[in-house]
């Protein structure tokens, strides 16, 4: 790229107060950005790094931006979402060097990106009749300014186009600025041809170098932005495509660590990429078929769509319709399809996934009543009070009888007792919904929650993290037979639909805060004890780098049976964060600001959710929230007016002080000081007697 002139609008904007605060003065950053204009120089500076990390002429080992399981879930969520590219991409087979073909390719790419952004916005974020706040434009390399491809072609600037971008609409700067870019796409010839099998179908080194240049320039522009709609300062997606194939490159990193030496721009940039950036590159896969139509449901287009989805999330926050919720609807759609096709028994067997309903050999068309199919299946599938599940894990078996059917507002679970010890109640989580006819893996939400919570509690156990305020993993395994109170014969194969379903058993049991509030049993003085116990649970989990991610009244229980003093336990660890790529639950009333805005947790996010739970559970005004934007606006207003602190202050000064402390930490990298607040809360807990209770939280 040979551009030399900067984007002056971006240069004239100063640093935003909440953006990067170190790494040089704002003027140095502007000058650094102004001089950072040549991708070839940056690629040359990175050549040795590429070659030193490559073995046998292969690319360095980069991570992939998306796991296959996440793409599969996204695929389920997109069922029924209409995508339509009207301008066909010219086929590479019939392409020539003519300007007509190149012009059509740029127009088709713009149309593809517009269709992608528009359909994703309408399906996940947009309100009825609301136009998306984005548009698509192309970048001209001579001045690094933006033009719609059609206008650039009309002005004879086709040969100078170097990228296409999804951009935020900016009434003050309708031509577009660099900090308005959500996502960039580079249209280059032979992306698919140069992505050799030896390189794991990754792009060639020159393409990667050019993508890194554009990604860093976007991040630099965002760091200088004064926009009221700030995008992520830490990550950006760049698409690389030709007329048939394409892939995704994600660049992530902290610009605080970039040395802004205006006399050594490219060396500093290369050093930051080598030492402080995280680069993820997807395999190159087919996006457009030979007719120029996008294969929207195939993995090539899916990973590009998923990158666009994450780019929009950086601007709009987490969607009102989550991927998990829409993916979970796959089960109901599948059930409706089976009813249309009049499929009967759906148990898994050795001959395939489904077994057709047995019919007579009559050639007549016979109407099958849906109710009869449902009743017969419910007899096989329904879990109710009195049902017994036999669980197997490694070399032991145990039966559990269901005593009560519960629901946390998201998934069903059960109060149960072991057949061997019927006096002790336990919580039982089963990875398949009792009203669904699919095997467990089809009911993605339930299956994921059971598997995920099992993993989190197992990790805690392995790390020696133990607290009476955290759910204890009592047993986990898979169902070997659901039936009456009898032990199944060992060694036998069971073809019952429930067999193989994952199950988790936890203790202790108790009444959820949500139920206590409904029954009027959550007294105001309970709030201090609840805050202390939940904070103790979070403190223990934090020792292992684990965050809960889903604190709400349904996930906190009060344990009263068999104890001298009631205490609270944090349950529902199915959305816990074990590593950076994990995502917390989205709840408009209880999720933290960081979770709603970025889909991630900061160090104080769980404590922020705890404050919301205490506020609402203690009689705080419960607003009607129907969007992420509305939820964020409510939080901003509530904190600025100090209505949360005032409500908690009516209960105790220590709760008011705790809310102030959490407010000061939100959005910052500073860690929570659990110990000081546990001591302060402990001093304010009113025990019923004068004796001292032994604290077993450590």
């Amino acid at each position: 790229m040979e551009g030399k002139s900067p984007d002056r609008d971006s240069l004239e904007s100063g640093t935003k107060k909440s953006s990067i605060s170190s790494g040089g003065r704002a003027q140095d950053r502007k000058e650094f950005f102004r001089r950072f204009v040549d991708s070839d120089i940056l690629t040359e500076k990175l050549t040795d790094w590429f070659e030193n990390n490559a073995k046998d002429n292969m690319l360095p080992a980069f991570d992939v931006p998306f796991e296959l399981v996440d793409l599969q879930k996204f695929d389920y969520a997109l069922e029924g979402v209409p995508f339509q590219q009207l301008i066909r991409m010219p086929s590479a087979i019939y392409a020539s060097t003519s300007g007509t073909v190149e012009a059509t390719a740029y127009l088709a790419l713009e149309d593809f990106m517009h269709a992608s952004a528009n359909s994703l916005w309408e399906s996940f974020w947009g309100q009825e009749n609301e136009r998306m706040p984005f548009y698509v434009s192309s970048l001209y390399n001579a001045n690094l300014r933006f033009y719609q491809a059609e206008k650039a072609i009309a002005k004879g600037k086709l040969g100078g186009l170097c990228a296409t971008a999804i951009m935020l609409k900016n009434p003050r700067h309708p031509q577009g600025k660099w900090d308005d870019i959500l996502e960039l796409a580079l249209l280059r010839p032979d992306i698919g041809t140069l992505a050799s099998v030896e390189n794991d179908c990754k792009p060639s080194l020159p393409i990667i170098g050019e993508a890194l240049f554009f990604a860093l320039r976007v991040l630099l522009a965002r760091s200088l932005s004064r926009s009221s709609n700030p995008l992520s300062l830490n990550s950006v997606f760049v698409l690389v495509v030709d007329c048939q194939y394409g892939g995704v490159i994600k660049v992530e990193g902290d610009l605080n660590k970039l040395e802004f030496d205006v006399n050594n721009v490219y060396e500093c940039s290369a050093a930051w990429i080598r030492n402080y950036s995280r680069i993820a590159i997807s395999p190159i896969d087919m996006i457009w078929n030979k007719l120029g139509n996008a294969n929207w449901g195939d993995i090539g287009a899916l990973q590009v769509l998923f990158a666009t989805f994450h780019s929009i999330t950086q601007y709009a926050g987490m969607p009102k319709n989550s991927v998990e919720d829409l993916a979970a609807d796959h089960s109901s759609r599948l059930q409706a399809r089976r009813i249309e096709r009049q499929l009967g028994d759906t148990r898994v067997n050795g001959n395939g996934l489904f077994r057709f309903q047995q019919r007579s050999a009559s050639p007549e068309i016979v109407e099958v009543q849906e109710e009869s199919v449902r009743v017969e299946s419910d007899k096989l599938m329904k879990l109710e009070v009195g049902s017994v599940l036999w669980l197997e894990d490694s070399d032991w078996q145990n039966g559990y009888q269901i005593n009560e059917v519960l629901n946390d507002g998201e998934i069903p679970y059960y109060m149960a007792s072991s057949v061997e010890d019927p006096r002790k109640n336990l919580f039982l989580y089963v990875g398949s919904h009792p009203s669904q006819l699919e095997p467990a893996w089809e009911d993605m939400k339930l299956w994921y929650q059971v598997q995920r919570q099992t993993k989190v509690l197992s990790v805690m156990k392995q790390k020696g993290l133990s607290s009476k305020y955290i759910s204890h993993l009592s047993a986990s395994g898979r169902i070997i037979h659901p039936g009456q109170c009898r032990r199944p014969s060992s060694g036998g194969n069971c073809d019952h639909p429930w067999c193989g379903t994952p199950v988790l058993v936890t203790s202790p049991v108790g009444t959820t805060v949500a139920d206590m509030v409904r029954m009027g049993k959550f007294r105001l003085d309970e709030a201090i004890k609840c805050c202390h116990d939940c904070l103790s649970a979070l403190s223990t989990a934090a020792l292992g780098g684990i965050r809960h991610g889903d604190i709400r009244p349904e996930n906190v229980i009060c344990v009263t049976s068999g104890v001298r003093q009631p205490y609270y336990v944090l349950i529902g660890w199915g959305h816990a964060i074990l590593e950076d790529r994990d995502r917390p639950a989205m709840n408009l009333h209880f999720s933290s600001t960081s979770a709603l805005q970025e889909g991630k947790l900061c160090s104080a996010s769980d404590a922020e959710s705890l404050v919301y739970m205490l506020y609402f559970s203690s009689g705080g005004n419960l607003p009607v929230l129907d969007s992420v934007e509305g939820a964020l606006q409510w939080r901003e207003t509530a904190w600025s007016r100090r209505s949360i602190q005032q409500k908690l202050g009516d209960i105790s000064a220590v709760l008011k002080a705790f809310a102030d402390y959490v407010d000061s930490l939100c959005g910052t990298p500073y860690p929570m000081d659990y110990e000081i607040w546990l001591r302060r809360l402990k001093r304010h807990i009113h025990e019923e007697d004068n004796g001292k209770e032994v604290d077993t939280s450590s």
Side-chain angles (χ1 to χ4, degrees):
M1 189 174 64
E2 300 175 355
K4 298 297 179 184
S5 300
D7 182 328
R8 298 186 187 279
D9 289 327
S10 291
L11 297 180
E12 290 170 0
S13 62
T15 53
K16 192 179 61 171
K17 291 182 181 179
S18 60
S19 66
I20 302 171
S21 59
S22 61
R25 295 174 303 172
Q27 193 61 40
D28 290 337
R29 293 169 184 246
K30 292 179 183 179
E31 183 63 19
F32 192 98
F33 177 71
R34 191 185 71 82
R35 297 187 183 192
F36 189 63
V37 293
D38 197 320
S39 65
D40 292 335
I41 298 177
L42 179 66
T43 302
E44 182 182 349
K45 298 292 183 182
L46 293 171
T47 299
D48 290 342
W49 178 59
F50 282 136
E51 292 178 350
N52 291 337
N53 284 276
K55 296 180 180 179
D56 300 324
N57 296 320
M58 296 177 64
L59 282 177
F62 294 112
D63 290 335
V64 293
F66 313 119
E67 298 293 339
L68 181 59
V69 65
D70 294 323
L71 288 173
Q72 290 171 327
K73 189 189 302 182
F74 189 58
D75 179 38
Y76 281 138
L78 292 183
E79 286 180 352
V81 176
F83 293 95
Q84 187 177 29
Q85 178 180 352
L86 298 178
I87 303 176
R88 303 295 190 263
M89 181 66 76
S91 174
I93 293 179
Y94 305 107
S96 67
T97 56
S98 71
T100 302
V101 172
E102 187 178 358
T104 304
Y106 268 103
L107 293 173
L109 179 58
E110 281 196 355
D111 194 46
F112 171 83
M113 296 180 75
H114 172 87
S116 301
N118 189 57
S119 294
L120 290 173
W121 176 261
E122 290 182 352
S123 301
F124 289 94
W125 287 274
Q127 306 294 331
E128 188 175 358
N129 299 323
E130 179 187 15
R131 296 175 65 90
M132 73 168 180
F134 317 122
Y135 69 102
V136 179
S137 191
S138 293
L139 182 66
Y140 188 59
N141 68 359
N143 57 10
L144 296 183
R145 290 187 179 274
F146 300 93
Y147 303 88
Q148 299 224 315
E150 192 170 351
K151 294 180 180 179
I153 293 167
K155 293 180 179 180
K157 296 183 177 182
L158 172 63
L161 296 181
C162 61
T164 302
I166 298 175
M167 307 186 69
L168 290 175
K169 291 179 180 177
N170 189 337
R172 294 182 58 190
H173 303 278
Q175 291 296 322
K177 304 193 307 174
W178 273 81
D179 53 301
D180 293 331
I181 295 175
L182 265 75
E183 178 185 70
L184 268 171
L186 309 183
L187 178 62
R188 300 293 182 267
D190 300 325
I191 292 288
T193 304
L194 297 175
S196 62
V197 176
E198 290 78 9
N199 285 336
D200 296 325
C201 295
K202 300 289 177 64
S204 63
L205 295 181
I207 293 296
I208 295 175
E210 193 173 7
L212 295 179
F213 165 80
F214 280 105
L216 181 52
R217 202 165 200 278
V218 170
L219 291 176
L220 286 168
R222 291 178 183 176
S223 75
L224 295 169
S225 176
R226 282 180 177 169
S227 172
S228 60
N229 297 310
L231 293 164
S232 170
L233 295 172
N234 296 324
S235 66
V236 65
F237 290 90
V238 178
L239 314 180
V240 291
V241 301
D242 59 20
C243 289
Q244 200 166 8
Y245 295 87
V248 177
I249 298 177
K250 179 184 180 183
V251 180
E252 188 173 11
D254 184 0
L255 284 188
N256 281 318
K257 298 177 180 178
L258 172 59
E259 183 181 355
F260 289 91
D261 183 351
V262 296
N263 296 315
N264 211 5
V265 169
Y266 296 98
E267 279 291 354
C268 292
S269 300
W272 181 84
I273 290 171
R274 288 193 300 265
N275 301 320
Y276 301 112
S277 72
R278 291 183 296 278
I279 302 169
I281 304 177
S282 75
I284 298 298
D285 218 304
M286 181 178 286
I287 297 177
W288 293 277
N289 60 27
K290 293 179 181 179
L291 293 176
N293 298 305
N295 298 318
W296 296 106
D298 209 349
I299 195 166
L302 265 179
Q303 59 191 13
V304 168
L305 285 172
F306 208 25
T308 304
F309 173 86
H310 283 288
S311 298
I312 296 175
T313 301
Q314 292 180 355
Y315 159 75
M318 297 305 292
K320 63 177 183 179
N321 303 314
S322 71
V323 171
E324 289 75 12
D325 289 342
L326 292 181
D329 290 341
H330 171 76
S331 294
S332 59
R333 290 190 290 264
L334 183 60
Q335 173 62 12
R337 177 61 55 82
R338 291 178 186 172
I339 292 173
E340 290 174 6
R341 296 175 59 199
Q342 296 184 343
L343 292 178
D345 188 358
T346 60
R347 72 187 67 185
V348 180
N349 58 72
N351 298 321
L353 179 59
F354 307 121
R355 191 179 286 165
F356 285 92
Q357 184 172 349
Q358 298 299 316
R359 308 276 175 83
S360 65
S362 169
E364 297 181 9
I365 298 176
V366 180
E367 180 179 359
V368 177
Q369 296 298 323
E370 177 185 329
E371 288 76 12
S372 65
V373 175
R374 185 181 292 114
V375 168
E376 181 179 352
S377 300
D378 282 351
K379 289 179 181 178
L380 290 172
M381 300 294 289
K382 192 171 184 181
L383 288 179
E384 54 190 12
V385 174
S387 298
V388 175
L389 298 182
W390 284 94
L391 182 66
E392 181 176 50
D393 184 9
S394 63
D395 59 349
W396 63 266
Q397 299 176 358
N398 198 5
Y400 295 90
Q401 180 170 325
I402 293 176
N403 302 325
E404 187 178 352
V405 180
L406 306 168
N407 195 298
D408 71 352
E410 181 176 314
I411 62 172
Y413 64 110
Y414 309 91
M415 183 93 74
S417 57
S418 169
V419 171
E420 298 177 354
D421 185 8
R423 296 172 299 176
K424 182 179 181 181
N425 280 326
L426 304 159
F427 280 146
L428 186 75
Y429 299 84
V430 182
S432 188
H433 196 287
S435 65
Q436 298 292 339
L437 302 181
E438 295 84 47
W441 62 267
E442 287 288 356
D443 193 350
M444 297 182 63
K445 195 168 189 177
L446 262 173
W447 179 90
Y448 176 83
Q449 285 296 301
V450 174
Q451 296 282 65
R452 180 69 178 173
Q453 188 165 198
T454 302
K455 177 181 178 180
V456 172
L457 295 181
S458 297
V459 168
M460 287 188 183
K461 192 172 184 179
Q462 292 165 5
K463 293 185 175 183
L465 303 176
S466 177
S467 169
K468 76 173 187 179
Y469 306 117
I470 295 178
S471 300
H472 172 70
L473 193 156
S474 299
S476 66
R478 297 186 178 275
I479 295 176
I480 53 175
H481 190 79
Q484 302 304 318
C485 293
R486 60 182 178 85
R487 186 183 299 273
S489 58
S490 60
N493 293 322
C494 174
D495 66 350
H496 195 283
W498 280 99
C499 292
T501 299
V503 175
L504 170 66
V505 184
T506 68
S507 63
V509 300
T511 305
T512 66
V513 169
D515 287 336
M516 294 176 69
V517 172
R518 275 192 292 269
M519 295 183 292
K521 294 184 177 180
F522 191 78
R523 305 186 311 272
L524 295 183
D525 57 349
E526 293 285 331
I528 302 176
K529 176 67 174 168
C530 181
C531 184
H532 171 274
D533 296 353
C534 290
L535 205 61
S536 182
L538 296 177
S539 174
T540 300
L543 295 175
I546 300 172
R547 295 170 185 168
H548 188 277
D550 191 20
I551 295 179
R552 50 192 171 96
E554 293 82 3
N555 279 338
V556 179
I557 60 171
C558 182
V559 179
T560 58
S561 178
V563 296
R564 184 170 61 86
Q565 293 291 346
Y567 63 95
Y568 291 86
V569 175
L570 194 52
I571 65 172
W573 292 83
H575 286 287
I577 307 301
L578 297 178
E579 50 191 40
D580 288 342
R581 66 181 180 182
D582 295 335
R583 293 294 179 262
M586 292 294 108
N587 188 296
L588 296 181
H589 287 102
F590 301 105
S591 289
S592 68
T593 303
S594 178
L596 292 176
Q597 282 183 327
E598 302 178 20
K600 295 182 179 181
L601 300 185
C602 68
S603 62
S605 288
D606 278 336
E608 183 184 349
S609 294
L610 176 58
V611 168
Y612 297 143
M613 189 194 78
L614 295 172
Y615 170 75
F616 291 128
S617 300
S618 301
N621 180 41
L622 190 69
V624 176
L625 301 175
D626 57 6
S627 68
V628 171
E629 291 81 3
L632 291 171
Q633 182 62 47
W634 176 83
R635 282 157 174 74
E636 182 179 352
T637 302
W639 286 112
S640 63
R641 294 180 178 176
R642 297 183 57 77
S643 55
I644 294 175
Q645 293 95 318
Q646 290 172 9
K647 181 63 182 179
L648 295 180
D650 292 340
I651 303 171
S652 170
V654 71
L655 288 181
K656 181 180 181 181
F658 178 67
D660 275 325
Y661 173 73
V662 171
D663 184 30
S664 70
L665 280 188
C666 288
T668 74
Y670 302 115
M672 281 281 300
D673 189 340
Y674 290 102
E675 291 304 317
I676 188 172
W677 287 103
L678 287 173
R679 289 196 302 269
R680 290 178 180 177
L681 290 164
K682 187 71 173 177
R683 288 198 298 266
H684 287 76
I685 294 174
H686 299 292
E687 306 291 1
E688 293 182 1
D689 55 20
N690 295 324
K692 290 186 177 180
E693 181 184 355
V694 177
D695 186 357
T696 60
S697 62
S698 299

